[in-house]
Amino acid sequence: MQVSRHQRLNIALMDRCPLTLDGLASFMNTLSTRGKIVVRETSMREAADGAIYQQADVLIAELNGVGETAVQGREILLDLCAQLPALRVVVYTRSQSVEELALLLSQPNISIVARDDALPLVAEFFNRVLNGERVLSPQIGACLARTSARETAVTRELTRCESDVLAFLFNGMSLREIAELQRRSIKTISAHKCSAMRKLKVSNDSELFSLHGKITRQFAGEWQRNTQR
C-alpha cells in the first residue's frame, strides 16, 4: 500500500536490548522519510500486541526478543502478518540462517535487512520500505542464494560472485548499482550475470526472474515439495 508523502506513518520498533532500541529510535529520526514511533518493545509478542493496538503501519524488529527463541519470534511475526496484511515489516537481524529466515520470504510484506549492512545502506532500505517497497538486504540474499546453491542442482554450479550478483539483481538493483556497491566495473558484473545465466540455461531476464521465483518458493519449502515426485 502506497502512502502519501504527507501522511505520517506509525512505526513500531522491537529489539531485545533497550540501548539498541534507543539507538534504533534515534536512527529512524535521521531518515528522509519520517514517521511517528508509537511502539518500543523488547519482545516480539509485546511488539505485535502494540502494533495492533497502536495501528502501526511499519514494524522494524529483530527476529526474537527477550525470553523468545528465533522460531517463536518468527511464528508470532507470521501470525501478526496474517492479522494485519497491510503492515510493512522489516526484520532487522544478525541471523543469516535459512532455517530461521526462509519462511519469511513467503510473506510479500516482510523485508529482511542485515545488521551488518553499512548504515547508509540500511537508511536506504528503511526509506524504501517506508515508501511502500519490499527489500532484501544483498548480504541476506547472497547468503540464502549460496545456501540454496549447496542444496539444489539448479544453482550448484554458480560461483560466489555469480550468486551475489543474482541476489542483488533479484533485490531490484541495476548492474551499475551493483558495480558501485562492489567497486567493480559494469563489464565485470555483466560478465558474472551472463555466466550465471548460461549455467542456469536461461536466455533472457524474464526466464532468469522466473527461475528466481522457483528458488524463492524452495526457500519457503514449497518448490522442494513440488519437485519431489
Side-chain angles (χ1 to χ4, degrees):
M1 178 180 67
Q2 291 288 346
V3 178
S4 165
R5 291 180 182 272
H6 303 291
Q7 182 177 341
R8 197 170 177 85
L9 297 170
N10 288 335
I11 300 174
L13 302 178
M14 191 284 285
D15 193 282
R16 68 173 67 90
C17 175
L19 288 178
T20 303
L21 193 59
D22 290 342
L24 183 57
S26 297
F27 180 70
M28 296 302 297
N29 289 327
T30 70
L31 300 181
S32 58
T33 304
R34 298 295 183 88
K36 178 183 179 182
I37 297 174
V38 296
V39 175
R40 292 171 59 168
E41 297 290 353
T42 57
S43 76
M44 185 67 80
R45 171 56 65 194
E46 292 175 347
D49 290 342
I52 293 172
Y53 296 138
Q54 297 295 332
Q55 299 182 331
D57 300 296
V58 179
L59 168 64
I60 299 176
E62 175 58 280
L63 194 56
N64 60 296
V66 174
E68 299 165 338
T69 66
V71 172
Q72 290 171 335
R74 183 189 64 198
E75 293 308 308
I76 294 169
L77 187 56
L78 292 174
D79 286 343
L80 177 64
C81 289
Q83 293 182 65
L84 302 177
L87 177 69
R88 279 167 267 162
V89 176
V90 179
V91 176
Y92 186 36
T93 182
R94 297 175 181 85
S95 173
Q96 294 189 1
S97 166
V98 173
E99 291 76 13
E100 293 176 357
L101 301 178
L103 287 177
L104 301 177
L105 297 178
S106 65
Q107 296 295 321
N109 56 331
I110 295 181
S111 298
I112 307 177
V113 176
R115 292 277 176 141
D116 292 336
D117 282 333
L119 286 180
L121 191 58
V122 173
E124 176 189 340
F125 287 152
F126 282 8
N127 277 316
R128 287 171 60 183
V129 171
L130 293 175
N131 283 293
E133 295 184 47
R134 185 191 188 192
V135 302
L136 175 65
S137 166
Q139 186 176 155
I140 299 292
C143 175
L144 295 178
R146 289 194 297 271
T147 301
S148 177
R150 293 194 295 269
E151 296 176 347
T152 178
V154 73
T155 55
R156 66 187 174 189
E157 295 181 1
L158 298 182
T159 66
R160 175 170 180 171
C161 289
E162 292 163 354
S163 295
D164 287 352
V165 167
L166 290 187
F168 297 145
L169 288 171
F170 294 154
N171 190 47
M173 298 177 70
S174 67
L175 293 179
R176 181 178 298 278
E177 289 170 333
I178 298 170
E180 291 175 353
L181 182 65
Q182 294 199 328
R183 297 181 181 178
R184 296 181 179 180
S185 69
I186 296 179
K187 184 176 180 180
T188 297
I189 299 301
S190 180
H192 287 316
K193 176 189 175 184
C194 291
S195 177
M197 290 177 68
R198 283 195 300 271
K199 292 178 181 179
L200 295 172
K201 298 182 179 180
V202 296
S203 58
N204 54 53
D205 285 352
S206 178
E207 292 178 358
L208 178 63
F209 278 81
S210 175
L211 179 61
H212 168 249
K214 292 180 180 178
I215 294 173
T216 300
R217 286 194 294 274
Q218 188 217 15
F219 289 154
E222 298 174 5
W223 187 40
Q224 188 175 26
R225 289 195 296 270
N226 291 336
T227 56
Q228 289 178 341
R229 299 178 179 177

